[in-house]
Amino acid sequence: MPLAVVHSRALSGFDAPPVAVEVHLSGGLPAFNLVGLPDTEVKESRDRVRAALQNAQFDFPARKITVNLAPADLPKESGRFDLPIALGILAATGQLPAERLSNYEFAGELALSGELRPIRGALAMTLKAHRDGRAFVLPAGSAEEAALVKEAIVHPARSLLGVCAHLTGREELPRCEAPEPKRGKCSAPDLADVRGQSLPKRALEVAAAGRHSLLMLGPPGTGKSMLAQRLPGLLPAMTEDEALEAAAIHSLCGRFRLEDWSRRPLRAPHHTASAVALVGGGGDPRPGEISLAHHGVLFLDELPEWDRRVLEVLREPLETGQINISRAARQATFPARFQFLAAMNPCPCGYLGHPSGKCRCTPDQIARYRSRISGPLLDRIDLQIEVPALPVHVLPGDSPNAEPSAGVRARVFAAAARQRARQGKANADLQPKEVERFCVPDAQGDSLLRTAFARLSLSARAYHRILKVARTIADLAGADALAASHLAEAIGYRRLDGAAG
Ligand SMILES: [Zn+2]
């Protein structure tokens, strides 16, 4: 048969669209033409495939070979198509039974020896291949993560010869078993290690319970970063679907590790990070920090030091839970549903309100410093709290009764269960219509909210955020109604709004 078709996958953002690798043989001068790959990658792929076939003792046909990767408009990195191209040539020349190819998808980069090298994105590709009802043959180094997809049939292969032996029925490839994820103890540090700061700890508990975004304002050394690092340890483990999505994103970056399975990530990029590093991008778009934080926590320290244009990009994912990246003619979408955590100093020198009294910043300088964070971004943060400097007489070890994370976690889990039962999602994710339905204050609470709204000149967005946070506070208390005390606490978490700033 002079024509063969082999199924494979491209990677486009988080998607893995099907690619048909068509190999056609014809008369004429011997040639090896590759259509549908970027020019720069054609030569390398041709050389690898030819060498691998010859080194595996197959006949490389002295005919005109045309390989077409369809559809033409998908982004394609050459490496992953080496294996399907080589198999297509073998099938088109009758060295392999073509009819068995249709039940499988293949991806893998060939070494010149014919060995298979791992590829990135195996998990995202397998999710799709499994949905289309085909088994997937992958390099052994990529197969383990792919087998995390429940019931997917994944065959790990070490070499081109191994794949051919499987297809001719000489020696079956093993089927990769889903690896047993090490669901060990949570590695997050414990809340009991943070001395003092009972109010910020309470705010962290509220944030964890409703998946709310949180901004901490305070001098250096008061434990803002320590608190941030302890948030993932307060959150419920990921569901199976969440864990698969998060793992697929890490697999796109070639960074998936089995020990991270279902563990909520904490990503804390430095303020010198570029927009591409933060939100993703590049010629062949890769996920950024916000997507690596998907279903976990994104922590930005020193918020005013970040380039304002970089921060503005966060508005889209904070609203929609995903990020669209356009680059030249290409569009890529990555999920980015993260819990947003940020910290900043209260003034340029950092010591405003510190007992040492060493701050000499003028009100003007302070206002300018704080205005580096745009109103619209601030508006999207549910809780804004102060993490004050500790009185000098509080020393390490002074708070022996500090509650460990386990106790807080139990309350957070119970509150999260209430939210799931009531509305199927976290309070932070409630839409305006749902806020009106699920976050109705009682009479006293309503009048308290009206007074605060007028006095603090809150935006409509801030109003909804207060209601959502009050809902979480009530859920932590196991209460159905939103009482004045719940609303008062929620209003107290808007330290940077209006007059309260
Ligand atoms: Zn200062």
Side-chain angles (χ1 to χ4, degrees):
M1 181 197 284
L3 175 74
V5 180
V6 185
H7 302 290
S8 189
R9 296 268 156 187
L11 281 176
S12 170
F14 192 56
D15 196 14
V19 167
V21 179
E22 304 161 350
V23 179
H24 183 241
L25 296 184
S26 55
L29 289 177
F32 186 4
N33 296 318
L34 252 162
V35 188
L37 271 183
D39 288 344
T40 48
E41 302 187 24
V42 166
K43 184 179 180 310
E44 291 176 20
S45 183
R46 247 180 355 209
D47 292 349
R48 285 194 303 262
V49 169
R50 190 200 308 264
L53 283 171
Q54 289 170 340
N55 285 325
Q57 310 297 322
F58 287 108
D59 286 331
F60 192 82
R63 299 171 68 183
K64 185 176 174 194
I65 308 168
T66 307
V67 177
N68 181 35
L69 273 57
D73 60 344
L74 286 172
K76 302 189 197 82
E77 297 161 85
S78 65
R80 72 187 63 244
F81 298 110
D82 291 354
L83 176 62
I85 291 171
L87 293 172
I89 292 173
L90 292 174
T93 52
Q95 301 178 76
L96 205 64
E99 63 280 1
R100 286 207 65 192
L101 290 173
S102 58
N103 301 329
Y104 296 93
E105 299 199 7
F106 303 89
E109 180 173 326
L110 285 168
L112 302 183
S113 62
E115 302 286 304
L116 282 167
R117 292 193 176 129
I119 50 167
R120 72 180 183 95
L123 188 42
M125 292 194 292
T126 309
L127 275 170
K128 292 298 168 68
H130 176 52
R131 231 173 273 169
D132 288 353
R134 294 199 193 94
F136 214 139
V137 178
L138 285 165
S142 308
E144 191 179 58
E145 62 177 60
L148 287 166
V149 180
K150 271 218 169 103
E151 287 160 21
I153 300 175
V154 176
H155 296 294
R158 303 210 168 273
S159 67
L160 176 61
L161 272 176
V163 179
C164 293
H166 178 79
L167 292 170
T168 54
R170 259 202 335 271
E171 190 182 350
E172 296 270 309
L173 288 170
R175 179 173 166 183
C176 200
E177 295 297 326
E180 196 51 54
K182 298 159 197 122
R183 285 179 199 275
K185 311 163 268 60
C186 177
S187 65
D190 202 284
L191 212 50
D193 307 335
V194 185
R195 64 197 174 101
Q197 305 298 16
S198 56
L199 290 177
K201 282 180 185 170
R202 165 68 180 173
L204 194 70
E205 175 176 338
V206 173
R211 306 284 282 140
H212 296 291
S213 47
L214 168 68
L215 171 63
M216 296 176 279
L217 185 83
T222 53
K224 291 174 289 181
S225 303
M226 286 181 82
L227 287 166
Q229 285 153 9
R230 280 147 183 84
L231 178 57
L234 301 181
L235 301 172
M238 290 190 199
T239 64
E240 183 85 23
D241 284 351
E242 287 175 338
L244 264 182
E245 266 185 23
I249 293 168
H250 284 79
S251 146
L252 283 180
C253 300
R255 294 188 188 190
F256 174 71
R257 299 182 317 161
L258 197 58
E259 54 267 39
D260 294 336
W261 172 256
S262 91
R263 197 169 276 170
R264 296 198 186 266
L266 171 81
R267 305 293 304 185
H270 190 255
H271 62 75
T272 52
S274 66
V276 168
L278 186 67
V279 300
D284 164 35
R286 305 279 174 107
E289 290 289 340
I290 60 169
S291 294
L292 291 170
H294 186 52
H295 294 312
V297 178
L298 178 74
F299 175 50
L300 303 189
D301 202 357
E302 311 264 14
L303 198 59
E305 302 299 330
W306 284 77
D307 184 335
R308 197 165 160 154
R309 284 161 309 179
V310 174
L311 290 185
E312 288 303 298
V313 192
L314 287 179
R315 279 160 59 178
E316 180 196 336
L318 280 173
E319 289 297 312
T320 63
Q322 59 180 38
I323 181 83
N324 289 295
I325 295 161
S326 326
R327 166 119 186 163
R330 230 173 264 311
Q331 275 268 349
T333 302
F334 295 109
R337 190 169 295 287
F338 53 86
Q339 187 165 2
F340 184 50
L341 214 53
M344 62 186 280
N345 292 335
C347 67
C349 84
Y351 289 95
L352 180 71
H354 195 273
S356 67
K358 62 179 166 186
C359 173
R360 296 279 175 274
C361 302
T362 66
D364 236 26
Q365 287 171 323
I366 294 169
R368 221 174 314 128
Y369 178 74
R370 294 196 182 179
S371 71
R372 283 197 219 160
I373 306 159
S374 76
L377 178 64
L378 212 51
D379 244 8
R380 283 170 172 79
I381 300 178
D382 292 350
L383 295 94
Q384 306 153 357
I385 60 157
E386 279 179 87
V387 184
L390 295 172
V392 223
H393 62 265
V394 179
L395 293 167
D398 261 9
S399 37
N401 298 322
E403 188 180 15
S405 289
V408 180
R409 198 158 48 224
R411 290 194 296 276
V412 166
F413 284 22
R418 286 177 69 88
Q419 295 164 53
R420 256 198 320 280
R422 182 177 60 233
Q423 66 217 14
K425 55 167 95 170
N427 289 336
D429 297 331
L430 291 175
Q431 298 303 307
K433 278 256 174 296
E434 296 167 317
V435 172
E436 283 164 28
R437 181 161 161 222
F438 297 116
C439 311
V440 186
D442 65 14
Q444 264 188 313
D446 191 57
S447 90
L448 176 78
L449 192 54
R450 277 168 203 282
T451 317
F453 196 66
R455 214 180 47 217
L456 303 177
S457 55
L458 298 173
S459 68
R461 220 191 275 274
Y463 180 77
H464 272 127
R465 291 190 187 278
I466 288 174
L467 283 173
K468 288 196 261 188
V469 170
R471 178 69 266 168
T472 301
I473 293 165
D475 286 334
L476 278 168
D480 287 327
L482 288 198
S485 62
H486 306 138
L487 282 151
E489 185 179 344
I491 292 164
Y493 294 140
R494 301 295 302 182
R495 295 300 297 147
L496 291 171
D497 274 334

